[in-house]
């Protein structure tokens, strides 16, 4: 199976490096002309990736399209690729927040689509340098929860990703994992961006009541969406991730610093949207959306 990886971001480059190390065929695509990325792995080994291609190529069922882009980039990427994939080409979406599944259902209604979330650490230091900073599990599952054994295509996608990312877990229903990642991002990302702080500073006591309130709202929306959730457990996971990534700046913090569009609509915005559908009040999440949006419109 040939991996076709969109973009030269940290996670996509880490997947490509795994493919290069295990002699799995792969291509990297970048819309704008880009130099080859060098990935430094945890053993300090340097892996020079293939030079990105700037135009899509025709894909068939022996290819997989991997889309580790931001949620707001997915619609235009899938529209660009739609004429180039066949209905059997599997597509893997990996992004913070939610919304990609709906976009894929609309643009590629007949393709096998998978949703994944990873806890692997990878940082892009410069335009063409990525460092893998930590191992972490990648969770993956189909866009519609499965019943029964894995299909051949699911086995192939899982096996290709396992070669590249090692610790990959298949879920018959991926949505609880996606919601749990969302609930962590919904706290750490906006609070670090708004306060211009690294993740660990969220543990200094000053943010405790805000963290509790955001998690209470998110847990209520999760339960109303059929995902078991307990606010106290969410708070404790948020604190664990903030402690484990204490020195890091969140991706939303970095987006704000570099004047890039943030993922606020796919993270807290998604919670607000689902809350509205279920008639749940989520004033803290709504305020975060407003504040981060106005921060980036200045
Ligand atoms: O996923 C992250 C992000 O920055 O987007 C966390 C888990 C918050 C780590 O920084």
């Amino acid at each position: 199976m040939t991996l076709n990886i969109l973009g030269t971001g940290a996670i996509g480059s880490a997947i490509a490096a795994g493919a290069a190390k295990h002699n799995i065929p792969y291509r990297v695509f970048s819309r704008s002309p880009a130099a080859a990325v060098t990935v430094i792995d945890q053993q300090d080994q340097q892996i020079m990736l293939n030079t990105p291609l700037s135009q899509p190529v025709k894909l068939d069922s022996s290819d997989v399209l991997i889309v580790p882009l931001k949620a707001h980039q997915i619609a235009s990427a899938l529209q660009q690729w739609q004429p180039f994939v066949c209905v059997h080409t599997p597509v893997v979406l990996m992004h913070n927040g939610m919304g990609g599944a709906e976009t894929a259902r609309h643009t590629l209604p007949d393709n096998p689509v998978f949703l994944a979330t990873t806890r692997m650490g990878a940082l892009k230091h410069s335009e063409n340098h990525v460092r893998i900073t930590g191992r972490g599990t990648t969770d993956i599952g189909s866009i519609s929860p499965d019943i029964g054994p894995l299909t051949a295509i699911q086995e192939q996608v899982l096996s290709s990703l396992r070669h590249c990312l090692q610790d990959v877990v298949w879920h018959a229903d991926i949505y609880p994992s996606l919601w749990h990642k969302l609930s962590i991002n919904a706290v750490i990302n906006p609070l670090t961006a708004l306060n211009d702080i690294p993740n660990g500073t969220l543990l200094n006591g000053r943010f405790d009541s805000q963290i509790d309130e955001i998690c209470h709202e998110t847990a209520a929306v999760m339960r109303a969406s059929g995902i078991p959730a307990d606010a106290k457990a969410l708070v404790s996971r948020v604190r664990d991730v903030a402690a484990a990534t204490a020195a890091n700046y969140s991706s939303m913090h970095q987006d704000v610093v570099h004047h890039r569009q943030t993922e606020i609509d796919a993270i807290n915005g998604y919670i607000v949207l689902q809350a509205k559908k279920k008639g749940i009040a989520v004033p803290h999440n709504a305020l975060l959306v407003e504040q981060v949006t106005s921060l980036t419109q200045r």
Side-chain angles (χ1 to χ4, degrees):
M1 189 164 243
T2 300
L3 273 51
N4 296 273
I5 301 163
L6 303 195
T8 56
I11 295 297
S13 299
I15 297 172
K21 279 213 274 187
H22 294 92
N23 293 321
I24 295 175
Y26 75 95
R27 305 182 188 104
V28 178
F29 294 87
S30 168
R31 273 188 162 178
S32 41
V37 169
T38 298
V39 176
I40 302 155
D41 72 9
Q42 285 187 284
Q43 291 74 45
D44 272 340
Q45 191 187 338
Q46 296 206 0
I47 303 131
M48 171 98 158
L49 302 182
N50 295 340
T51 303
L53 305 175
S54 55
Q55 290 301 324
V57 296
K58 209 85 188 138
L59 304 186
D60 61 28
S61 59
S62 66
D63 288 290
V64 51
L65 185 65
I66 301 186
V67 190
L69 299 176
K70 302 236 171 180
H72 54 260
Q73 298 169 326
I74 289 178
S76 76
L78 294 188
Q79 273 155 23
Q80 187 196 20
W81 277 85
Q82 195 266 339
F84 295 89
V85 297
C86 82
V87 288
H88 303 296
T89 309
V91 179
V92 180
L93 305 183
M94 275 181 142
H95 61 85
N96 272 344
M98 302 280 215
E102 288 82 349
T103 307
R105 273 207 180 95
H106 177 74
T107 314
L108 302 171
D110 301 318
N111 285 75
V113 175
F114 304 93
L115 308 175
T117 176
T118 188
R119 288 186 285 281
M120 173 193 217
L123 284 177
K124 191 162 179 171
H125 288 293
S126 67
E127 235 358 79
N128 43 12
H129 278 93
V130 167
R131 180 178 275 278
I132 298 178
T133 52
R135 287 185 67 153
T137 306
T138 299
D139 297 300
I140 184 165
S142 295
I143 191 167
S144 302
D146 292 306
I147 29 167
L150 295 195
T151 62
I153 207 110
Q154 290 171 340
E155 293 274 14
Q156 278 174 327
V157 169
L158 187 58
S159 138
S160 304
L161 283 181
R162 278 204 174 128
H163 278 109
C164 303
L165 294 171
Q166 283 95 39
D167 194 5
V168 183
V169 177
W170 178 265
H171 295 263
D173 181 0
I174 188 64
Y175 289 93
S177 304
L178 297 180
W179 269 102
H180 278 98
K181 177 74 182 355
L182 181 78
S183 69
I184 292 166
N185 288 135
V187 175
I188 297 183
N189 294 26
L191 292 185
T192 52
L194 290 168
N195 295 287
D196 192 11
I197 50 171
N199 296 353
T201 305
L202 291 176
L203 302 174
N204 71 8
R206 194 155 68 87
F207 301 95
D208 286 0
S209 64
Q210 243 180 318
I211 295 174
D212 280 356
E213 277 147 357
I214 302 163
C215 288
H216 266 94
E217 291 181 3
T218 307
V221 178
M222 287 170 73
R223 285 192 299 270
S225 309
I227 310 287
D230 166 62
K232 276 208 176 110
L234 295 190
V235 170
S236 118
R237 283 161 93 128
V238 164
R239 298 184 71 85
D240 288 349
V241 173
T245 59
N248 294 0
Y249 286 93
S250 75
S251 53
M252 193 173 288
H253 176 280
Q254 290 301 287
D255 287 339
V256 169
V257 167
H258 296 290
H259 308 287
R260 297 186 296 243
Q261 185 175 345
T262 72
E263 296 173 298
I264 193 73
D265 290 335
I267 301 176
N268 305 80
Y270 185 83
I271 295 170
V272 172
L273 196 72
Q274 298 309 311
K276 210 174 260 173
K277 287 186 192 163
K278 315 276 179 202
I280 298 170
V282 288
H284 292 91
N285 276 282
L287 184 62
L288 292 173
V289 175
E290 254 181 55
Q291 289 175 325
V292 172
T293 306
S294 66
L295 193 66
T296 49
Q297 280 169 354
R298 268 186 216 154

